[in-house]
Amino acid sequence: MPRTALPRRPALAAALRPALALALLFGAPAAAQDAALEKAPARALGKADTLRAADGWRTSLVAQLQGNQAAYSNWQEGGVNALAFTASAEGSFDRVVGRFLISQNGRLAFGLLRQDTLSFRKAVDVVRYGATVETASDDAFRPYLGVSLRTQFADGYDYDPSPEDYPSLVVVPGEEVRVSTFAAPLVLGQSVGLAYRPGGGFVARSGLALRETAVSVRELRPVYGNGLDQTVRVEVGVDVEAIFERDVMENVRLRSRLTAFQGFGVVGEALPDVLFENALVLKVNDLINVTLNGSALYDRDVSSDLQLRETVALGLTFELL
């Protein structure tokens, strides 16, 4: 995915300050639900999952169309015409088969942005899939196997590139340069370990993991830490994932996902790769909602800077399943 250039900071604390701000922004609503959790049924908090084999598939599939727009004509105080829209679909599919709980989730999102006289540019581009198999029981702790996939649909560009950042690419000052495309990169993961499902909308997993970074375009491989002739780079390490989804108040839902990977080969030399994604959905009615999205990404192989993304959009929601 394309990089967001941020000022370089020699101090680690300064570099991670924006991530702390994001955590506080999205963590505050979650803290407000503590009293509600104390009053929740014991089974919801103390047991792992109420899904049983007789229930069949428990499914959720939601599609959204979102956008925002600003237009000015002879407005003396100034302003920039802007148009942005995003289409997305997010789903989860769970089922108990025999002694195992199978959970699958996926997210597809694509958005474009146009400002003033500039042409349309990509604003959001996400292809993500994950699946886990856990033992089905009422215990909060249980072993699991998991796989994951992350890539994008379309080309991504850096519109203000520097030759130092892209030594393997031809960089012309003042011209955009392609830095990503479909399956470049394609990040795959496999993990085995222990899952924790206490209820209340929270799930955590941690275990040993393999991660493969595949880059199908040769000149883009060094951008993601691969050698020019290295289509796939394999890392062994520890993987951690924490997911929280719950209504924090009436008509307000928080979805939060934190993933981290620490390769054994760089322990003590580099920080873990971290992706922290949040969505706060304010439901106006059954069709209309306002969504605040915030993401923080740190990947030492792509950039030594913290990458941030934030969007606010008014949208239409369609519950397909």
Side-chain angles (χ1 to χ4, degrees):
M1 60 193 305
R3 295 182 288 180
T4 301
L6 298 174
R8 297 189 180 275
R9 301 180 174 93
L12 174 62
L16 295 180
R17 192 174 297 124
L20 178 60
L22 273 176
L24 291 174
L25 172 65
F26 289 99
Q33 68 165 350
D34 288 347
L37 286 177
E38 292 177 0
K39 299 177 182 179
R43 183 171 183 81
L45 294 174
K47 301 301 180 180
D49 203 299
T50 58
L51 188 64
R52 296 292 180 261
D55 298 329
W57 284 101
R58 181 180 60 190
T59 62
S60 172
L61 180 60
V62 177
Q64 289 187 320
L65 296 175
Q66 299 175 321
N68 54 62
Q69 182 262 347
Y72 303 86
S73 177
N74 197 32
W75 190 256
Q76 298 304 312
E77 295 179 359
V80 177
N81 295 338
L83 174 65
F85 58 88
T86 300
S88 65
E90 187 163 2
S92 61
F93 309 89
D94 304 323
R95 185 174 185 178
V96 172
V97 179
R99 298 174 55 191
F100 300 100
L101 169 64
I102 301 173
S103 299
Q104 302 179 77
N105 66 85
R107 181 169 185 252
L108 305 175
F110 188 78
L112 295 174
L113 167 68
R114 182 175 183 177
Q115 288 186 318
D116 205 19
T117 59
L118 298 176
S119 60
F120 276 104
R121 295 181 176 183
K122 187 173 68 170
V124 179
D125 192 356
V126 177
V127 177
R128 188 180 66 207
Y129 172 78
T132 60
V133 178
E134 306 171 7
T135 57
S137 72
D138 287 336
D139 296 331
F141 290 95
R142 53 180 73 176
Y144 84 95
L145 294 170
V147 296
S148 63
L149 175 153
R150 177 165 57 91
T151 186
Q152 60 189 45
F153 286 107
D155 293 347
Y157 293 88
D158 189 333
Y159 294 94
D160 185 24
S162 69
E164 293 78 15
D165 290 335
Y166 306 107
S168 63
L169 303 178
V170 177
V171 177
V172 178
E175 295 186 7
E176 64 190 39
V177 60
R178 186 180 71 160
V179 296
S180 62
T181 189
F182 179 73
L186 169 64
V187 181
L188 304 172
Q190 306 85 37
S191 60
V192 56
L194 195 64
Y196 176 55
R197 287 181 176 265
F202 180 76
V203 181
R205 302 183 183 94
S206 181
L208 298 175
L210 289 175
R211 186 173 72 171
E212 300 86 30
T213 302
V215 184
S216 58
V217 181
R218 186 175 187 271
E219 60 268 22
L220 294 181
R221 291 169 186 167
V223 177
Y224 299 97
N226 295 24
L228 273 175
D229 297 320
Q230 188 180 24
T231 305
V232 180
R233 177 168 53 89
V234 180
E235 298 174 272
V236 181
V238 175
D239 180 75
V240 176
E241 180 180 40
I243 302 170
F244 179 80
E245 181 171 358
R246 190 179 176 91
D247 291 334
V248 294
M249 61 183 68
E250 186 176 1
N251 295 326
V252 179
R253 190 166 188 83
L254 174 66
R255 298 195 302 265
S256 185
R257 178 190 297 264
L258 173 69
T259 59
F261 176 84
Q262 176 66 69
F264 290 144
V266 293
V267 172
E269 300 177 3
L271 294 171
D273 297 340
V274 177
L275 176 60
F276 185 36
E277 299 176 293
N278 298 273
L280 192 64
V281 182
L282 289 72
K283 183 178 179 181
V284 179
N285 55 40
D286 290 339
L287 184 62
I288 300 174
N289 65 58
V290 177
T291 303
L292 170 62
N293 288 287
S295 300
L297 171 65
Y298 176 76
D299 187 339
R300 66 189 181 280
D301 296 316
V302 178
S303 174
S304 59
D305 295 324
L306 185 67
Q307 303 175 63
L308 300 174
R309 180 177 64 197
E310 178 269 332
T311 61
V312 179
L314 176 69
L316 302 178
T317 299
F318 308 93
E319 295 187 2
L320 304 180
L321 291 176

